[in-house]
Amino acid sequence: LQYRVRIDMSVPGEELVVSRDPGSSQAHNDLYIAIRDAFNAAERQLRSYSGKLREPRKHHEIEPHAVVLRMFPHEGYGFLMTPDGREVYFHENSVLNNGFGELNAGDEVRFSEVLGDDGPQASTVDAVGRHGKHIFPG
């Protein structure tokens, strides 16, 4: 009997997946070795991801901005409006510093966008200030 181990991890902006198939190796006959190998690989992926986060950002990169369009505070989510008119869903857990309760319609935010099951969503939302309408022409 050989064991196959898979670990799925969600990190801001990415999904990291580790899969350890036994192949022809007999080492994965031992469940503990299969799990150890998978978690060692997961640790390497997380270190690599962490290193990417620490890389200095290029000066010409501009973090996406938006304004809070609608809030559903009792349900724990809301929608952002991007300068190009797209709506982006966000969940209260995406808002940095537990700031969901402080957000109001019209507040300007920076955000990281990912593709969710139902379309675009913000993986992180960071409040910039109130009345972000100045980022929209007219």
Side-chain angles (χ1 to χ4, degrees):
L1 180 66
Q2 295 212 341
Y3 295 97
R4 179 176 186 259
V5 178
R6 178 184 167 109
I7 301 170
D8 296 281
M9 299 174 283
S10 295
V11 294
E14 285 189 53
E15 294 290 321
L16 304 178
V17 178
V18 174
S19 181
R20 288 291 173 252
D21 280 318
S24 61
S25 170
Q26 297 300 314
H28 284 216
N29 288 347
D30 185 329
L31 176 61
Y32 296 105
I33 291 175
I35 292 171
R36 180 201 64 198
D37 289 351
F39 275 94
N40 285 343
E43 181 180 15
R44 287 189 300 274
Q45 279 197 19
L46 285 171
R47 286 180 195 267
S48 174
Y49 174 79
S50 175
K52 289 178 191 175
L53 292 178
R54 289 190 189 112
E55 291 176 2
R57 293 185 181 207
K58 297 176 185 172
H59 293 291
H60 66 277
E61 288 183 21
I62 299 173
E63 292 181 316
H65 279 68
V67 293
V68 176
L69 180 64
R70 290 186 307 275
M71 294 286 295
F72 299 91
H74 298 294
E75 290 83 7
Y77 70 93
F79 289 91
L80 306 174
M81 175 68 75
T82 65
D84 60 359
R86 295 181 308 111
E87 288 188 23
V88 178
Y89 166 87
F90 71 97
H91 188 270
E92 67 183 326
N93 294 337
S94 302
V95 181
L96 299 179
N97 303 315
N98 294 320
F100 181 79
E102 304 297 317
L103 287 178
N104 296 296
D107 288 353
E108 183 178 358
V109 298
R110 287 188 307 251
F111 71 102
S112 297
E113 185 176 331
V114 296
L115 185 58
D117 293 338
D118 295 322
Q121 69 182 47
S123 61
T124 58
V125 176
D126 189 18
V128 174
R130 301 231 180 270
H131 309 296
K133 296 175 188 162
H134 69 276
I135 68 171
F136 297 103

